[in-house]
């Protein structure tokens, strides 16, 4: 198998896991994932990313705080969310949402069911670990952009080692709570969580896969 075929295999197999087993990941495996992710490129080699990885009681402490915040506190993101979704972005988002709802048995109009599923984000989908990804505040959008490469590399390295991941923007919408629980300094922007562990193959939320846009929708060659 060529290097390209191996890469495409990892990219295709990776998906956002929304149901995990309780089994913890050995520390040496976590270190391998983070080391590989650290090979991502960055502007001027600034390497703005840092991750705080939780396990055991610390995961439970963060999970409890997030669930409480999601039901009682206003959102407090370090980085503003999208102003809106329109056109193809809206359509893709809706399709993904309905695929998830269909998989877990939430019918259209079932607001209580959709709210329960939304809360799973803050339960970290039952995962034993999450990695809170931060970047230097002074680096602004460029630090966040570079950190996207770290995020993808983290997910692919995890996939290569038999682990499942789900990048979570929802967690970062309660950055104030995450900062309080984990003691993250103000000079770090909380960008997202990368929740990970061993996939629960029997969980219904893991039964669907999203599609990707055709090449004609994402690339234009000129000249």
């Amino acid at each position: 198998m060529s290097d390209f075929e191996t890469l495409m295999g990892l990219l295709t197999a990776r998906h956002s896991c929304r149901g995990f087993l309780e089994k913890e990941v050995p520390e040496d495996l976590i270190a391998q994932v983070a080391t590989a992710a650290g090979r991502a490129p960055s502007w001027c080699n600034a390497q703005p990313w840092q991750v705080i990885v939780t396990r055991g009681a610390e995961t439970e402490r963060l999970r409890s705080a997030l669930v409480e915040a999601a039901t009682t506190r206003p959102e407090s993101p370090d980085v503003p969310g999208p102003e809106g979704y329109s056109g193809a972005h809206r359509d893709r988002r809706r399709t993904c949402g309905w695929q998830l709802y269909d998989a877990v048995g939430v019918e259209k109009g079932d607001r209580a069911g959709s709210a329960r599923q939304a809360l799973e984000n803050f339960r970290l989908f039952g995962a034993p670990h999450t990695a809170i990804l931060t970047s230097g505040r002074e680096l602004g959008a460029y630090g966040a952009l570079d950190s996207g490469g770290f995020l993808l590399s983290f997910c692919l390295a995890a996939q290569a080692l038999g682990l499942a991941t789900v990048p979570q923007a929802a967690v970062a919408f309660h950055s104030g709570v995450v900062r309080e629980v984990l003691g993250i300094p103000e000079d770090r922007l909380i960008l997202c969580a990368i929740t990970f562990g061993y996939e629960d193959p029997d969980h219904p939320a893991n039964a669907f896969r999203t599609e990707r846009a055709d090449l004609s929708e994402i690339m234009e060659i000129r000249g």
Side-chain angles (χ1 to χ4, degrees), residues 127-190:
H129 308 283
T130 195
I132 302 300
L133 178 58
T134 72
S135 174
R137 187 179 294 274
E138 66 179 359
L139 300 176
Y142 286 95
L145 178 64
D146 285 343
S147 295
F150 180 94
L151 187 155
L152 175 59
S153 299
F154 190 103
C155 291
L156 293 182
Q159 184 71 35
L161 291 170
L163 304 174
T165 57
V166 56
Q168 291 191 263
V171 171
F173 274 83
H174 287 283
S175 292
V177 173
V178 176
R179 193 180 305 282
E180 289 172 17
V181 173
L182 299 180
I184 298 172
E186 289 291 339
D187 65 352
R188 304 296 301 177
L189 288 175
I190 297 172

Side-chain angles (χ1 to χ4, degrees), residues 74-85:
E75 293 178 343
S76 57
D78 283 354
V79 179
E83 293 181 2
Y85 290 86

